[in-house]
PDB file of all heavy atoms in Angstrom:
ATOM      1  N   SER L1034      70.687 -21.778  63.194  1.00 98.00           N
ATOM      2  CA  SER L1034      71.280 -23.125  63.171  1.00 98.00           C
ATOM      3  C   SER L1034      72.462 -23.032  62.276  1.00 98.00           C
ATOM      4  O   SER L1034      73.149 -24.015  62.122  1.00 98.00           O
ATOM      5  CB  SER L1034      70.129 -24.070  62.519  1.00 98.00           C
ATOM      6  OG  SER L1034      69.963 -23.737  61.136  1.00 98.00           O
ATOM      7  N   GLY L1035      72.762 -21.983  61.461  1.00 98.00           N
ATOM      8  CA  GLY L1035      73.905 -21.780  60.695  1.00 98.00           C
ATOM      9  C   GLY L1035      73.635 -22.276  59.236  1.00 98.00           C
ATOM     10  O   GLY L1035      74.510 -22.210  58.368  1.00 98.00           O
ATOM     11  N   ASN L1036      72.374 -22.659  58.846  1.00 98.00           N
ATOM     12  CA  ASN L1036      72.095 -22.965  57.552  1.00 98.00           C
ATOM     13  C   ASN L1036      71.717 -21.711  56.574  1.00 98.00           C
ATOM     14  O   ASN L1036      71.795 -21.994  55.359  1.00 98.00           O
ATOM     15  CB  ASN L1036      70.717 -23.875  57.466  1.00 98.00           C
ATOM     16  CG  ASN L1036      71.093 -25.186  58.322  1.00 98.00           C
ATOM     17  OD1 ASN L1036      72.022 -25.986  57.779  1.00 98.00           O
ATOM     18  ND2 ASN L1036      70.316 -25.554  59.149  1.00 98.00           N
ATOM     19  N   ALA L1037      71.405 -20.660  57.052  1.00 98.00           N
ATOM     20  CA  ALA L1037      71.161 -19.442  56.291  1.00 98.00           C
ATOM     21  C   ALA L1037      71.956 -18.266  56.813  1.00 98.00           C
ATOM     22  O   ALA L1037      72.220 -18.084  58.026  1.00 98.00           O
ATOM     23  CB  ALA L1037      69.626 -19.123  56.412  1.00 98.00           C
ATOM     24  N   HIS L1038      72.286 -17.369  55.963  1.00 98.00           N
ATOM     25  CA  HIS L1038      72.981 -16.230  56.339  1.00 98.00           C
ATOM     26  C   HIS L1038      72.005 -15.078  56.711  1.00 98.00           C
ATOM     27  O   HIS L1038      72.278 -14.058  57.395  1.00 98.00           O
ATOM     28  CB  HIS L1038      73.869 -15.709  55.065  1.00 98.00           C
ATOM     29  CG  HIS L1038      74.906 -16.604  54.726  1.00 98.00           C
ATOM     30  ND1 HIS L1038      74.969 -17.330  53.511  1.00 98.00           N
ATOM     31  CD2 HIS L1038      76.026 -17.060  55.417  1.00 98.00           C
ATOM     32  CE1 HIS L1038      76.051 -18.079  53.508  1.00 98.00           C
ATOM     33  NE2 HIS L1038      76.679 -17.979  54.669  1.00 98.00           N
ATOM     34  N   MET L1039      70.854 -15.016  56.047  1.00 99.00           N
ATOM     35  CA  MET L1039      69.920 -13.891  56.305  1.00 99.00           C
ATOM     36  C   MET L1039      68.470 -14.458  56.069  1.00 99.00           C
ATOM     37  O   MET L1039      68.297 -15.328  55.142  1.00 99.00           O
ATOM     38  CB  MET L1039      70.150 -12.832  55.274  1.00 99.00           C
ATOM     39  CG  MET L1039      69.191 -11.634  55.331  1.00 99.00           C
ATOM     40  SD  MET L1039      69.156 -10.793  57.023  1.00 99.00           S
ATOM     41  CE  MET L1039      70.618  -9.760  56.983  1.00 99.00           C
ATOM     42  N   GLY L1040      67.471 -13.860  56.737  1.00 98.00           N
ATOM     43  CA  GLY L1040      66.158 -14.212  56.435  1.00 98.00           C
ATOM     44  C   GLY L1040      65.386 -12.996  55.744  1.00 98.00           C
ATOM     45  O   GLY L1040      65.970 -11.880  55.901  1.00 98.00           O
ATOM     46  N   THR L1041      64.308 -13.174  55.285  1.00 98.00           N
ATOM     47  CA  THR L1041      63.598 -12.092  54.648  1.00 98.00           C
ATOM     48  C   THR L1041      62.107 -12.331  54.643  1.00 98.00           C
ATOM     49  O   THR L1041      61.623 -13.501  54.651  1.00 98.00           O
ATOM     50  CB  THR L1041      63.989 -11.919  53.226  1.00 98.00           C
ATOM     51  OG1 THR L1041      63.416 -10.715  52.608  1.00 98.00           O
ATOM     52  CG2 THR L1041      63.742 -13.135  52.325  1.00 98.00           C
ATOM     53  N   LEU L1042      61.418 -11.317  54.686  1.00 98.00           N
ATOM     54  CA  LEU L1042      59.940 -11.174  54.502  1.00 98.00           C
ATOM     55  C   LEU L1042      59.578 -10.391  53.276  1.00 98.00           C
ATOM     56  O   LEU L1042      60.145  -9.284  53.072  1.00 98.00           O
ATOM     57  CB  LEU L1042      59.090 -10.582  55.804  1.00 98.00           C
ATOM     58  CG  LEU L1042      59.268 -11.335  56.977  1.00 98.00           C
ATOM     59  CD1 LEU L1042      58.597 -10.505  58.098  1.00 98.00           C
ATOM     60  CD2 LEU L1042      58.678 -12.715  56.893  1.00 98.00           C
ATOM     61  N   PHE L1043      58.847 -10.906  52.391  1.00 98.00           N
ATOM     62  CA  PHE L1043      58.524 -10.266  51.069  1.00 98.00           C
ATOM     63  C   PHE L1043      57.169  -9.561  51.208  1.00 98.00           C
ATOM     64  O   PHE L1043      56.234 -10.154  51.795  1.00 98.00           O
ATOM     65  CB  PHE L1043      58.399 -11.253  49.976  1.00 98.00           C
ATOM     66  CG  PHE L1043      59.840 -11.964  49.565  1.00 98.00           C
ATOM     67  CD1 PHE L1043      59.749 -13.357  49.792  1.00 98.00           C
ATOM     68  CD2 PHE L1043      60.818 -11.277  49.287  1.00 98.00           C
ATOM     69  CE1 PHE L1043      61.015 -13.998  49.645  1.00 98.00           C
ATOM     70  CE2 PHE L1043      62.014 -11.865  48.987  1.00 98.00           C
ATOM     71  CZ  PHE L1043      62.143 -13.187  49.192  1.00 98.00           C
ATOM     72  N   THR L1044      57.054  -8.271  50.670  1.00 98.00           N
ATOM     73  CA  THR L1044      55.790  -7.563  50.884  1.00 98.00           C
ATOM     74  C   THR L1044      55.355  -7.013  49.572  1.00 98.00           C
ATOM     75  O   THR L1044      56.165  -6.792  48.604  1.00 98.00           O
ATOM     76  CB  THR L1044      56.177  -6.370  51.793  1.00 98.00           C
ATOM     77  OG1 THR L1044      56.974  -5.372  51.237  1.00 98.00           O
ATOM     78  CG2 THR L1044      56.691  -6.749  53.174  1.00 98.00           C
ATOM     79  N   HIS L1045      54.096  -6.688  49.425  1.00 98.00           N
ATOM     80  CA  HIS L1045      53.489  -6.178  48.326  1.00 98.00           C
ATOM     81  C   HIS L1045      52.233  -5.387  48.604  1.00 98.00           C
ATOM     82  O   HIS L1045      52.027  -5.010  49.888  1.00 98.00           O
ATOM     83  CB  HIS L1045      53.132  -7.251  47.186  1.00 98.00           C
ATOM     84  CG  HIS L1045      52.473  -8.423  47.896  1.00 98.00           C
ATOM     85  ND1 HIS L1045      51.178  -8.358  48.492  1.00 98.00           N
ATOM     86  CD2 HIS L1045      52.735  -9.719  48.132  1.00 98.00           C
ATOM     87  CE1 HIS L1045      50.765  -9.481  48.975  1.00 98.00           C
ATOM     88  NE2 HIS L1045      51.793 -10.297  48.806  1.00 98.00           N
ATOM     89  N   ASN L1046      51.403  -4.986  47.636  1.00 97.00           N
ATOM     90  CA  ASN L1046      50.235  -4.166  47.899  1.00 97.00           C
ATOM     91  C   ASN L1046      49.085  -4.788  48.687  1.00 97.00           C
ATOM     92  O   ASN L1046      48.356  -4.024  49.272  1.00 97.00           O
ATOM     93  CB  ASN L1046      49.732  -3.595  46.536  1.00 97.00           C
ATOM     94  CG  ASN L1046      48.971  -4.617  45.835  1.00 97.00           C
ATOM     95  OD1 ASN L1046      48.786  -5.789  46.152  1.00 97.00           O
ATOM     96  ND2 ASN L1046      48.578  -4.209  44.541  1.00 97.00           N
ATOM     97  N   GLY L1047      49.211  -6.126  48.887  1.00 96.00           N
ATOM     98  CA  GLY L1047      48.204  -6.765  49.569  1.00 96.00           C
ATOM     99  C   GLY L1047      48.628  -7.510  50.898  1.00 96.00           C
ATOM    100  O   GLY L1047      47.679  -7.876  51.664  1.00 96.00           O
ATOM    101  N   GLY L1048      49.923  -7.577  51.174  1.00 97.00           N
ATOM    102  CA  GLY L1048      50.381  -8.256  52.355  1.00 97.00           C
ATOM    103  C   GLY L1048      51.725  -8.710  52.175  1.00 97.00           C
ATOM    104  O   GLY L1048      52.618  -8.075  51.627  1.00 97.00           O
ATOM    105  N   PHE L1049      51.895 -10.015  52.574  1.00 98.00           N
ATOM    106  CA  PHE L1049      53.203 -10.621  52.724  1.00 98.00           C
ATOM    107  C   PHE L1049      53.263 -11.994  51.860  1.00 98.00           C
ATOM    108  O   PHE L1049      52.377 -12.861  52.169  1.00 98.00           O
ATOM    109  CB  PHE L1049      53.633 -10.929  54.084  1.00 98.00           C
ATOM    110  CG  PHE L1049      53.863  -9.731  54.962  1.00 98.00           C
ATOM    111  CD1 PHE L1049      52.738  -8.989  55.458  1.00 98.00           C
ATOM    112  CD2 PHE L1049      55.192  -9.140  55.115  1.00 98.00           C
ATOM    113  CE1 PHE L1049      52.932  -7.771  56.229  1.00 98.00           C
ATOM    114  CE2 PHE L1049      55.309  -8.051  56.010  1.00 98.00           C
ATOM    115  CZ  PHE L1049      54.165  -7.371  56.553  1.00 98.00           C
ATOM    116  N   SER L1050      54.194 -12.036  50.867  1.00 97.00           N
ATOM    117  CA  SER L1050      54.256 -13.355  50.161  1.00 97.00           C
ATOM    118  C   SER L1050      55.226 -14.314  50.623  1.00 97.00           C
ATOM    119  O   SER L1050      56.002 -13.991  51.754  1.00 97.00           O
ATOM    120  CB  SER L1050      54.596 -12.931  48.660  1.00 97.00           C
ATOM    121  OG  SER L1050      55.656 -12.150  48.536  1.00 97.00           O
ATOM    122  N   THR L1051      55.280 -15.483  50.102  1.00 98.00           N
ATOM    123  CA  THR L1051      56.114 -16.566  50.745  1.00 98.00           C
ATOM    124  C   THR L1051      57.459 -16.753  49.915  1.00 98.00           C
ATOM    125  O   THR L1051      58.442 -17.271  50.379  1.00 98.00           O
ATOM    126  CB  THR L1051      55.439 -17.901  50.773  1.00 98.00           C
ATOM    127  OG1 THR L1051      54.871 -18.255  49.489  1.00 98.00           O
ATOM    128  CG2 THR L1051      54.255 -17.745  51.739  1.00 98.00           C
ATOM    129  N   MET L1052      57.540 -16.265  48.753  1.00 98.00           N
ATOM    130  CA  MET L1052      58.774 -16.345  47.853  1.00 98.00           C
ATOM    131  C   MET L1052      58.726 -15.328  46.705  1.00 98.00           C
ATOM    132  O   MET L1052      57.557 -14.841  46.234  1.00 98.00           O
ATOM    133  CB  MET L1052      58.798 -17.743  47.143  1.00 98.00           C
ATOM    134  CG  MET L1052      60.076 -17.918  46.221  1.00 98.00           C
ATOM    135  SD  MET L1052      61.574 -17.421  47.059  1.00 98.00           S
ATOM    136  CE  MET L1052      62.640 -17.448  45.657  1.00 98.00           C
ATOM    137  N   CYS L1053      59.897 -14.765  46.393  1.00 98.00           N
ATOM    138  CA  CYS L1053      60.041 -13.861  45.270  1.00 98.00           C
ATOM    139  C   CYS L1053      61.441 -14.005  44.683  1.00 98.00           C
ATOM    140  O   CYS L1053      62.343 -13.658  45.338  1.00 98.00           O
ATOM    141  CB  CYS L1053      59.633 -12.418  45.808  1.00 98.00           C
ATOM    142  SG  CYS L1053      59.761 -11.182  44.419  1.00 98.00           S
TER     143      CYS L1053
END
Side-chain angles (χ1 to χ4, degrees):
S1034 68
N1036 292 307
H1038 297 114
M1039 176 63 75
T1041 184
L1042 296 176
F1043 298 116
T1044 66
H1045 48 63
N1046 71 6
F1049 294 81
S1050 49
T1051 54
M1052 176 54 192
C1053 180

